[in-house]
Each structure stands twice: as structure tokens, then as C-alpha cells.
Amino acid sequence: MDEAHDLECGNVKVKQNSRNLTDVAPRVTAGSRFPEGFLWGVSTAAHQVEGGNDNNQWAAWEQAGRIKSGDRSGKACDWWNNAERDFDLAQEMGINALRLSVEWSRIEPREGRYDALAVRRYRQMLEALHQRGIQPMVCLHHFTHPLWFEQRGAFLGGGAADLFGRFVRHVVSALGDLCQHWVTFNEPNVYATLGYVLGEFPPGRRGQILTAVALVNALARAHTQAYRAIHELQPQAQVGWAHNFVVFQPARPGARRDRWVTGLVNELFNESFLRLIELGKLVFPLSLASGDLTEVKGACDFVGLNVYSRFHVAFDARIASQMFARVFVPPHVPQGDHGVEQPYGEAYPAAIRVAVERVARIGKPIYVLENGVPDADDRIRPWLIVNVVQELDRLIQAGQDIRGYFHWTLTDNFEWSEGWKLRFGLVALDPKTQQRTVRNSGRLYGAIARGNCISPEMVNQYFPAGIELTPD
Ligand code: FCB
């Protein structure tokens, strides 16, 4: 499989008259074998899969009716009782890594009180993964934390970094023999933006841009404290965080105001946490809102990237609360299923390249820790996977140090403010019956993982005929 093959992907229906679609027209080129030990993983998060989580701020948010679809996470994928059923599926597919998170509200249900049974269950899960030849990667904060911590002001409250650090020490002491790779925080930028600017995540504030910046700073401090604590306990550990990276593009590239507002959104969303890690400070004038953050500089062993979409950005004088930025998805671009109120985003495989080239400046290994598309009918997920894997291949050939790719997600799960409306799984789930059905994209991804490469044969076998890239 060392020589490159070209395959015309003739069975993909592409609107020939659409400029945007011909830009992404899938000419499938199979590349070389991936490096030995490359991780082909899937990503999950505790609240989205475990079920029965009722002691964190997301459970309260659900109870308050704040999920757009009105759904509750309920049993989710029932992992607290039977994660092993999905681990079996992952093993059958040939996946060799799985990212999961531990639920702080289970491990420390009341301040300073730890639940040994909860820790034991996580040990069982990690052991079950190892038994199946699957390497775990553990995230310590994936959007949720205990109600008692939320009531103290969460990460903006006094002593937050110490409280989080104490929890991290507890977890790493208990699970460190079963895990080498730790993700401190999932997507500080998403938590800050959706929680304090757009109001879609708890605590549901809108337009509080300075508070969002303060939260990013606080999370960077807590991350750094956790990074140090993990290394004290486990010197060989690999510690990073998961950074959500969105490609923002000026809606009218010739319009200066669109370009200006796109730069602003990019700076706040994509750049702020990255700059703290890279330089230990934000750019002016955001630097005015942060104190001395030099301790944050260089505090990671790898960068985790969560990359999904591209959005267009237009200046709109009516929305000062969102920095005058109208962020939208134009029609006729490849996209998955719509959320309750708006499109999820443009499915844009080249986003991986933009993101990798940016974070490579930090000079650390890179793991793609999330990438996927909401797609209940598996219309475009195979297309996305093929194009993204080829993008990764080209980047690695060009010398980028990418160590793994984790697809979001293994089994359809509870999708935060969209509830059960969006289906991201390689495996379809009926949450009522808990019945699972492996999607075609799951078979395709499994073949790639098992082969540690992508070949024209795999693409032929699993790429469905008549993929429709546009919604209708
Ligand atoms: C990411 C989240 C993950 C999941 C995917 C679709 O932003 O980290 O939990 O919701 O989006």
C-alpha cells in the first residue's frame, strides 16, 4: 500500500453548478500507511453516554427545560451499567483507542467527600478497554461538574483551581496505572462562548464577552495546575487539552467590515486559549482583561484538536451582544442534519489542515480528538471520513506530528443543548430500547483502523452509492 492510488469517486452526487461543492468535490486518493502506533479512536463524554447523572449542572439545566428539544439525557447509552457492550463494538470494529471522561459529580458528589464505588466503576471501564486492546485517554472535565461546585461560582469562584486540582489528584492517584494520556479540559472556548455569550449552555448568560474571556483565563490557570499535579504523580504522563477549532470565513471577502469582524471572532474563539499556552498572554486589548499568565506558557505535552466545521461571518450592526458578528452556514454547502434551531455547521474536511497548521506553531504532538458530523441517515459521514483521513495523510507526509484521530462518536448520544436531535454515532442507537446498529460509516472507519491506511478497495466496499452532499 505504499504507492498512491487515485480513484474517481464517481458515485458521489455533486451539484456541478455549485462553486462551493466543486471546491470540495471528492476525488478520493488513497495514500500511504499511517505511522506505526497511530491511534484510531473514538471520543465520548461521561454525561453524554453514562446515564443517571443527576448531580451536575447539566442535569439541573435539563430539569429546568433548557434543552432545545425538551429531551433529557436519561439513561443515555447506559454506560454506567454496561459500557462494555459498546467497548465490544469498538473492539469488533478494530478501533485501538477511546477517549472518555470521568464525571466529577460522581467521584466527589459532595465537597471533599469521595465515592469509592464510582472510582471502582471507572477502574473497571479502563480495565475493560485494556482487555480489548483499546488504549484509554481520560478527560477530566467535559463540560460537567458537581452542583456544589457550580453553586460556588464554578471556575469563576474563589479557590476553583485548587478544588479542581484536588479532584484531579484523586483521579490520577486512583486511575494512573491504567491511563497515560490525560485531557484536562474539553473545549474551554466552547464552554465560555456557549455559557456566557450565546446562552446555550449553563449558566445561560448572553453577551457577557468579558466574563467569557475571564473564564478562559481561569480555565487556563486550572489547566496548568492540573498539568503540574498530573506530572508530579505520574512523570511519564502525556497531558493536553481539547481545543475546539472552527474555520471562520468572511461572508464577503471583499467587505472590510466582514473581514474585521471575522478576525475578532477568530481571535476570541480560536486564538485566546492557544495564545495563553503559546505565549502566556493574550493580545491587546484582551490582555487588559487577564492578569499574569506566564505560568500557562508551554503547559502541555500535546495539543488535542476538536474540529468540525466552517462558518461564514458577516458584520451586522444590530447584534452588539455578539460583537456584531452574524455567524452562519450558507445554503448549498455540504452539511449534516440540522439542529433544533440552526444548521450544525458546514462539514468541511479541510478544516483539519487549517487547524493543524495553526496549532503546529506550539511545537507539540497533535491528536485530533474529535471530528464528525450529525447524520442520522449516514448520508455524508463516509464522505467526511474519507476526505479527513486523506487530509491527515497529506499532513503527516508533509511532516506534521499527528499521533491519532478520534472520531466523534462511537454510539449516538445525548448531544447537549440539542438533546437527542443530532446523531453523531458510527453506531446508531435507539435510546428507548438501547438497540444498536452499526452504520456503514462505522464499517468503513473500522476497515481504516484495522488496515492503518485507506485503500481504494475499502472505499469501494463501504462508500455508499449516491451520496447526496446537499440537504435537498
Ligand atoms: C463537541 C463536544 C462533544 C460533542 C460534539 C458534537 O463540541 O466536545 O461533547 O457534543 O461537539
Side-chain angles (χ1 to χ4, degrees):
M1 245 318 298
D2 282 327
E3 79 193 85
H5 301 265
D6 274 345
L7 247 184
E8 274 301 331
C9 195
N11 52 4
V12 173
K13 215 152 78 188
V14 178
K15 278 197 181 150
Q16 293 302 335
N17 59 357
S18 156
R19 193 165 46 81
N20 287 325
L21 282 180
T22 44
D23 283 350
V24 295
R27 178 181 171 80
V28 178
T29 308
S32 40
R33 199 169 280 282
F34 277 70
E36 197 64 32
F38 190 82
L39 297 185
W40 294 102
V42 282
S43 271
T44 66
H47 190 75
Q48 296 180 270
V49 296
E50 285 178 357
N53 274 316
D54 55 12
N55 188 25
N56 65 32
Q57 91 281 26
W58 266 93
W61 190 247
E62 289 171 35
Q63 277 152 23
R66 300 299 297 268
I67 306 302
K68 291 180 204 160
S69 57
D71 294 336
R72 300 274 180 99
S73 53
K75 279 176 86 162
C77 308
D78 204 22
W79 273 29
W80 200 246
N81 295 313
N82 192 2
E84 289 76 356
R85 167 174 42 191
D86 281 337
F87 297 170
D88 284 341
L89 285 173
Q91 182 186 24
E92 279 161 31
M93 275 182 198
I95 285 162
N96 64 10
L98 188 145
R99 172 182 162 213
L100 73 171
S101 70
V102 287
E103 176 60 42
W104 186 356
S105 66
R106 283 192 193 273
I107 293 176
E108 191 179 356
R110 282 180 294 148
E111 188 175 344
R113 298 286 183 83
Y114 295 96
D115 182 340
L117 283 179
V119 172
R120 194 180 304 162
R121 176 68 184 125
Y122 285 119
R123 280 196 69 81
Q124 267 179 358
M125 287 190 198
L126 298 187
E127 278 160 2
L129 288 169
H130 284 291
Q131 280 154 13
R132 289 163 178 77
I134 299 174
Q135 180 175 320
M137 182 176 283
V138 174
C139 178
L140 294 151
H141 186 276
H142 195 124
F143 294 155
T144 53
H145 44 244
L147 280 170
W148 64 260
F149 184 72
E150 180 76 0
Q151 278 148 14
R152 292 181 58 132
F155 288 93
L156 293 169
D162 292 335
L163 292 169
F164 181 64
R166 189 176 64 178
F167 159 70
V168 168
R169 281 176 188 278
H170 189 83
V171 171
V172 174
S173 307
L175 306 179
D177 58 322
L178 296 169
C179 177
Q180 278 280 313
H181 289 77
W182 301 94
V183 176
T184 55
F185 284 98
N186 182 65
E187 303 181 343
N189 53 348
V190 169
Y191 173 19
T193 307
L194 296 191
Y196 289 87
V197 183
L198 301 176
E200 294 189 6
F201 277 20
R205 310 270 166 73
R206 286 172 168 271
Q208 299 192 0
I209 292 163
L210 289 181
T211 314
V213 175
L215 177 58
V216 167
N217 290 342
L219 292 170
R221 283 206 183 86
H223 158 82
T224 306
Q225 204 160 313
Y227 171 78
R228 303 246 153 80
I230 298 170
H231 275 292
E232 262 173 46
L233 295 164
Q234 202 184 343
Q236 305 307 324
Q238 296 293 298
V239 187
W241 87 105
H243 187 71
N244 188 295
F245 192 100
V246 169
V247 174
F248 296 110
Q249 144 137 4
R252 294 155 299 183
R256 190 182 303 161
R257 289 188 307 178
D258 285 3
R259 289 202 308 272
W260 173 74
V261 88
T262 304
L264 207 57
V265 170
N266 187 57
E267 190 58 45
L268 272 167
F269 189 85
N270 284 331
E271 290 293 328
S272 51
F273 202 94
L274 287 179
R275 286 199 199 278
L276 293 178
I277 297 279
E278 192 181 7
L279 311 167
K281 57 181 185 211
L282 297 176
V283 293
F284 183 81
L286 295 178
S287 52
L288 297 177
S290 60
D292 180 10
L293 286 157
T294 41
E295 92 236 38
V296 177
K297 187 174 170 182
C300 69
D301 305 310
F302 65 84
V303 179
L305 272 179
N306 296 358
V307 190
Y308 290 86
S309 338
R310 173 165 71 170
F311 284 92
H312 287 231
V313 185
F315 179 85
D316 186 337
R318 291 164 302 182
I319 42 177
S321 67
Q322 290 168 34
M323 299 178 310
F324 307 109
R326 191 162 58 80
V327 179
F328 67 100
V329 183
H332 310 308
V333 296
Q335 52 188 298
D337 299 338
H338 283 212
V340 176
E341 285 163 6
Q342 63 225 0
Y344 182 78
E346 175 183 353
Y348 186 57
I352 296 272
R353 179 169 39 76
V354 182
V356 164
E357 286 174 354
R358 165 61 185 96
V359 303
R361 276 164 33 199
I362 293 179
K364 300 283 168 84
I366 297 165
Y367 290 89
V368 176
L369 287 184
E370 289 186 26
N371 169 251
V373 61
D375 186 9
D377 298 330
D378 224 25
R379 287 178 298 121
I380 68 167
R381 192 178 289 104
W383 167 86
L384 179 85
I385 291 174
V386 168
N387 282 282
V388 163
V389 170
Q390 291 189 108
E391 200 68 69
L392 290 170
D393 186 23
R394 285 191 284 270
L395 287 162
I396 293 171
Q397 298 301 324
Q400 297 288 4
D401 187 5
I402 305 171
R403 307 267 175 103
Y405 168 82
F406 290 62
H407 193 81
W408 183 275
T409 185
L410 178 57
T411 306
D412 288 341
N413 58 40
F414 183 74
E415 182 43 46
W416 305 114
S417 56
E418 304 287 343
W420 290 100
K421 168 88 180 163
L422 295 181
R423 302 306 184 106
F424 279 90
L426 296 167
V427 178
L429 172 79
D430 177 338
K432 287 207 185 73
T433 62
Q434 287 292 314
Q435 195 177 332
R436 275 114 168 114
T437 314
V438 178
R439 292 192 166 105
N440 195 44
S441 50
R443 285 186 280 276
L444 169 65
Y445 185 58
I448 295 169
R450 287 193 303 277
N452 198 26
C453 66
I454 183 165
S455 72
E457 293 73 29
M458 290 167 196
V459 175
N460 274 341
Q461 189 174 352
Y462 298 107
F463 210 70
I467 279 188
E468 178 58 84
L469 286 181
T470 49
D472 28 53

